[in-house]
Amino acid sequence: MKIILVAGARPNFMKIAPIVRALKWHTGDNLEWCIVHTGQHYDYEMSQSFFKDLEIPEPDYFLEAGSGSHATQTAKIMIGFEDVCLKEKPNIVVVVGDVNSTLACSVVAKKMFIQVAHVEAGLRSFDMDMPEEINRMVTDTISDYFFVTEKSAKYNLIREGKDLKNIHHVGNVMIDNLYHQLNKLNNENSYFSVSGVKKKFMNYGFLTLHRPSNVDEKSILNNIVEALNEIAKEIPLIFPVHPRTKKMVDNFGIQFSRNIYLLPPLSFRESLYLLKDADFVLTDSGGLQEETTALGIPCFTIRENTERPITVEMGTNILVGYKKEKILSSFHNFKNGQRKKGKVPELWDGKAAERIVEFLVAT
Ligand code: UD1
């Protein structure tokens, strides 16, 4: 049995790290595997620092796809990945998440009669303006095996006609990674470049923002930043800025309050070091909605919808949209003591990757 594990963009790296650990335990049980990095993300802070932090071995193939329009980026990944599949002749290609690399590699594999396993399958925002929604839907249409993080994903797949026997509710590999890294962080004395910032503020909110729908249009980004500047009058915000957002902020000449502490993109561990002790999180990321639910940290998601509804139904997540008034009123409710008591969803126990690999090895 030969498996190719694909990763391309920042949120993929956290998802493959526990799968790599589980694959290592099984290597030799009639199992060979290799890692393909598509190069969708390529800056040190967006890519290599994650491989280092998360102890992922150097990829066997780096496709150097780089940035570009969706078509350019997807096409470059497809061309590079086809060569890898021709050479490696895998039995299964494992893709994670919902980025362009996920779609590109699943399509290539399926057309070469290679089985496709999708980790984090079935999530739906029902918002076709999100490129990730298209990536999720296309990938799930052609995948053979579906590993899901929550029941809503299973029901979505059943509604779309998938066979129940190929849908496996295994838990959440993002959360496997979170627990593993948190455990390490709590048991070692590491140096963090952001420890000065953390000490300076004591109480703070942790902020991330990068969705095209929030940052690519000046009036929308301005409106969000006005709300953030208001919040920062009451409590400082620490904000590692994604390259897309940095580009837009510079283009639009948007000004942040001095109480919003801007940082370059952080490694996973630096980010976790700040996240774990934050009073609350403001974000439009998918992963942070889940990580805050697992950690019991209040999360305000600056989006109108989520493909991860369990974080709202069961966890600490609140959808606050992108309009200033709603963001501010939700924050003030929180300040006045209205807090959600979240619970950790079923099977978010740190063992999802083991379940996935055990299934693949037995296939
Ligand atoms: C991608 C994913 C998104 C994910 C996000 C996490 C898709 C469609 N989107 O969005 O789902 O939440 O990654 O970060 O796959 N850039 C750099 N250095 C890099 C990478 C990108 O400077 O290493 C800049 C480039 O200007 C590039 C822009 O960021 O044009 C956007 O990068 P891209 O990979 O197209 O999309 P993301 O916004 O990062």
Side-chain angles (χ1 to χ4, degrees):
M1 152 81 71
K2 190 184 257 187
I3 292 174
I4 293 184
L5 181 59
V6 175
R10 186 168 63 175
N12 288 170
F13 308 138
M14 286 81 104
K15 291 169 196 165
I16 68 159
I19 301 177
V20 168
R21 262 197 306 283
L23 284 169
K24 278 183 182 166
W25 294 327
H26 285 274
T27 307
D29 299 356
N30 193 25
L31 172 70
E32 280 179 69
W33 54 277
C34 67
I35 300 175
V36 174
H37 183 333
T38 65
Q40 176 173 347
H41 284 172
Y42 44 86
D43 283 346
Y44 180 83
E45 298 86 7
M46 299 293 286
S47 171
Q48 258 170 289
S49 80
F50 284 79
F51 274 69
K52 202 166 135 244
D53 253 14
L54 307 177
E55 299 157 81
I56 307 170
E58 287 274 305
D60 300 272
Y61 295 90
F62 185 73
L63 304 182
E64 294 185 50
S67 296
S69 67
H70 284 273
T72 305
Q73 189 175 62
T74 307
K76 280 190 180 165
I77 299 168
M78 289 176 86
I79 293 166
F81 191 63
E82 189 175 48
D83 281 343
V84 175
C85 289
L86 281 170
K87 182 156 178 265
E88 292 289 337
K89 299 190 175 37
N91 305 91
I92 301 186
V93 167
V94 177
V95 293
V96 298
D98 54 18
V99 300
N100 286 345
S101 305
T102 314
L103 170 138
C105 295
S106 56
V107 171
V108 168
K110 195 65 195 164
K111 287 192 171 179
M112 295 175 83
F113 308 105
I114 300 162
Q115 293 198 303
V116 177
H118 186 199
V119 175
E120 211 187 65
L123 296 178
R124 298 288 179 267
S125 65
F126 304 102
D127 176 356
M128 291 296 277
D129 290 340
M130 284 180 82
E132 294 82 0
E133 184 72 355
I134 299 166
N135 294 342
R136 290 178 202 117
M137 291 186 69
V138 173
T139 303
D140 285 338
T141 301
I142 57 176
S143 288
D144 298 278
Y145 305 112
F146 308 90
F147 296 111
V148 306
T149 52
E150 56 172 279
K151 280 195 183 133
S152 77
K154 179 170 160 180
Y155 299 139
N156 291 334
L157 291 167
I158 292 170
R159 220 176 14 249
E160 291 170 17
K162 301 295 174 234
D163 194 335
L164 190 58
K165 77 172 189 316
N166 295 325
I167 306 172
H168 305 277
H169 186 184
V170 289
N172 193 327
V173 288
M174 272 296 272
I175 304 304
D176 294 5
N177 175 65
L178 176 76
Y179 293 157
H180 180 80
Q181 290 298 333
L182 197 61
N183 192 30
K184 275 180 59 186
L185 207 68
N186 290 334
N187 286 306
E188 66 187 23
N189 217 350
S190 301
Y191 165 79
F192 289 104
S193 69
V194 289
S195 59
V197 184
K198 188 167 171 175
K199 279 203 194 96
K200 182 169 160 197
F201 290 135
M202 295 294 287
N203 290 89
Y204 58 89
F206 187 69
L207 165 66
T208 79
L209 199 66
H210 76 284
R211 294 257 154 242
S213 59
N214 281 337
V215 305
D216 284 4
E217 206 174 295
K218 185 175 181 182
S219 61
I220 294 180
L221 182 56
N222 227 342
N223 175 78
I224 294 172
V225 173
E226 280 178 23
L228 299 172
N229 285 343
E230 283 291 317
I231 292 172
K233 285 182 186 160
E234 304 190 41
I235 179 162
L237 299 177
I238 302 181
F239 181 19
V241 187
H242 186 283
R244 173 191 283 279
T245 311
K246 164 110 182 46
K247 201 157 75 179
M248 295 304 169
V249 164
D250 292 347
N251 283 351
F252 301 148
I254 285 177
Q255 297 294 323
F256 287 95
S257 139
R258 269 190 298 153
N259 241 359
I260 300 184
Y261 200 89
L262 305 180
L263 294 170
L266 299 176
S267 71
F268 182 82
R269 281 155 55 79
E270 299 258 355
S271 166
L272 179 59
Y273 173 72
L274 290 173
L275 167 70
K276 74 186 180 72
D277 297 314
D279 288 34
F280 60 91
V281 168
L282 281 152
T283 191
D284 59 6
S285 139
L288 272 172
Q289 294 174 56
E290 295 182 337
E291 289 174 333
T292 46
T293 275
L295 296 173
I297 299 171
C299 179
F300 302 100
T301 295
I302 306 174
R303 284 176 51 187
E304 297 292 330
N305 52 51
T306 179
E307 60 288 338
R308 296 161 160 88
I310 201 152
T311 60
V312 176
E313 286 153 19
M314 204 177 187
T316 52
N317 190 18
I318 300 176
L319 294 180
V320 298
Y322 61 90
K323 300 215 172 89
K324 180 177 168 185
E325 296 69 29
K326 176 90 186 290
I327 299 172
L328 287 176
S329 68
S330 302
F331 175 72
H332 286 126
N333 290 341
F334 162 76
K335 273 216 73 186
N336 293 334
Q338 279 184 34
R339 304 201 173 187
K340 280 180 84 180
K341 271 209 184 71
K343 276 204 237 147
V344 179
E346 188 187 353
L347 294 172
W348 289 19
D349 58 0
K351 296 186 178 131
E354 283 173 45
R355 294 184 189 106
I356 291 169
V357 172
E358 265 164 31
F359 172 83
L360 292 175
V361 169
T363 302

